[in-house]
Amino acid sequence: MRAVYAESINEDDPLAGLVIGERPEPEVPEGWTTVRVRASALNHHDLWSLKGVGLSADKLPMILGNDAAGVDADGNEVVVHAVIGDPAAGGGDETLDPRRTLLSELHPGTLADLVAVPRRNLVPKPEGMSWTDAACVPTAWLTAYRMLTTRGRVREGDSVLVQGAGGGVATAAIVLGRALGARVYATSRDAAKREQAAALGASGLATGDRLPERVDVVIETVGAATLDHSIKSTKPGGRIVVSGSTSGHLATVDLRRVFFLQQEIVGSTMGTRDELAALLELMATKKITPVVAGVYGFSQARAAFEELAAGRAFGKIVLDHSR
């Protein structure tokens, strides 16, 4: 079958190990099934894998990808949940299973004609949702949804700051934050991305700018470069929800502000199968469509990865497996 996979690991030049070629169809353990992929989407996780983060050399070659929508072995249109974990081991939350992993780390990922997953990892695709839109949801949009709801506890009328407008999680957080009834501020060093964030309903600000108000929740995926600003921008009792650190993971924190203002710095990773189902229902009910930066044919996967690595995209990059 066709696949996009990591053949080698190169921290300095991750795309050097990227191959678009043929791989054997995946094995299907007991309790698992297969999905014929119609569309998949790229994530920065794929670039980190090519750098050797979360993917060890002994697992190569490894098919990349977390996101997919397609048709299961019984003919159902489904969206794939990428977290492979046992809810019971995480107290009902598979993301808290200490042994949990993502597709493309221990098991072949979604950038292929066929992917194997546990049966419980399949969620029905909402009727009328396109393959392209459905493929965008399982990683970035699910991460943003969990950050806002389960971890951030955003309520209607709250204020939210999204750091680093343009990335997949940040873009999703703007759209979902507005859908949940929050006032949303979004920062970026790039004026064009600030304008794009404003078009989605956020107030666009330059990175580090003073906000008109202190916010209830900060969506933090940038890390070291913005965490101090995030803390200063959060009201007493507010939450800074962290799911990434693209600018560096060793941030300096003024603990006096955190404890005096009783702020919470909260970690968040991906989301549960049930949260994915709830997110898809929300998107279908409110007619929310993901922000798509570009759709590439499967044979154009290298160009799609080059666009992702360049950091130019505003929204998701999708592979159409029909071409």
Side-chain angles (χ1 to χ4, degrees), residues 126-263:
E127 186 176 353
M129 181 176 283
S130 72
W131 293 117
T132 293
D133 289 351
C136 293
V137 178
T139 297
W141 282 71
L142 178 59
T143 297
Y145 179 77
R146 181 179 175 89
M147 292 176 79
L148 288 164
T149 58
T150 306
R151 306 298 281 161
R153 309 191 299 279
V154 168
R155 297 172 296 184
E156 186 171 358
D158 278 355
S159 52
V160 174
L161 168 62
V162 178
Q163 297 281 23
V169 173
T171 304
I174 293 170
V175 176
L176 293 174
R178 294 288 296 142
L180 293 169
R183 298 183 304 282
V184 180
Y185 303 93
T187 67
S188 176
R189 295 173 296 178
D190 187 316
K193 289 184 177 179
R194 294 196 295 272
E195 291 178 6
Q196 289 170 310
L200 296 176
S203 298
L205 299 164
T207 302
D209 274 2
R210 185 184 183 92
L211 273 62
E213 60 176 320
R214 289 183 178 175
V215 299
D216 296 282
V217 177
V218 178
I219 300 301
E220 176 61 82
T221 61
V222 179
T226 56
L227 185 60
D228 184 62
H229 179 254
S230 294
I231 292 171
K232 290 178 178 176
S233 300
T234 304
K235 66 172 55 173
R239 280 84 63 201
I240 301 102
V241 187
V242 182
S243 74
S245 54
T246 56
S247 69
H249 61 278
L250 297 177
T252 299
V253 177
D254 185 345
L255 292 174
R256 297 168 300 178
R257 183 179 294 272
V258 174
F259 70 71
F260 187 74
L261 297 180
Q262 301 185 70
Q263 298 171 335

Side-chain angles (χ1 to χ4, degrees), residues 46-136:
D46 301 312
L47 292 177
W48 287 112
S49 295
L50 288 161
K51 292 181 178 183
V53 178
L55 177 62
S56 57
D58 65 306
K59 297 298 180 183
L60 299 177
M62 174 60 75
I63 298 173
L64 299 170
N66 304 135
D67 292 343
V71 179
D72 71 11
D74 297 320
N76 302 304
E77 296 186 350
V78 296
V79 179
V80 174
H81 181 226
V83 179
I84 310 298
D86 181 1
D93 182 337
E94 61 266 33
T95 69
L96 298 178
D97 178 356
R99 297 172 297 176
R100 70 109 174 97
T101 186
L102 299 179
L103 288 173
S104 77
E105 293 178 348
L106 296 179
H107 307 284
T110 59
L111 304 188
D113 289 329
L114 202 66
V115 62
V117 295
R119 289 187 182 277
R120 76 170 303 273
N121 283 56
L122 300 184
V123 179
K125 181 177 76 67
E127 186 176 353
M129 181 176 283
S130 72
W131 293 117
T132 293
D133 289 351
C136 293

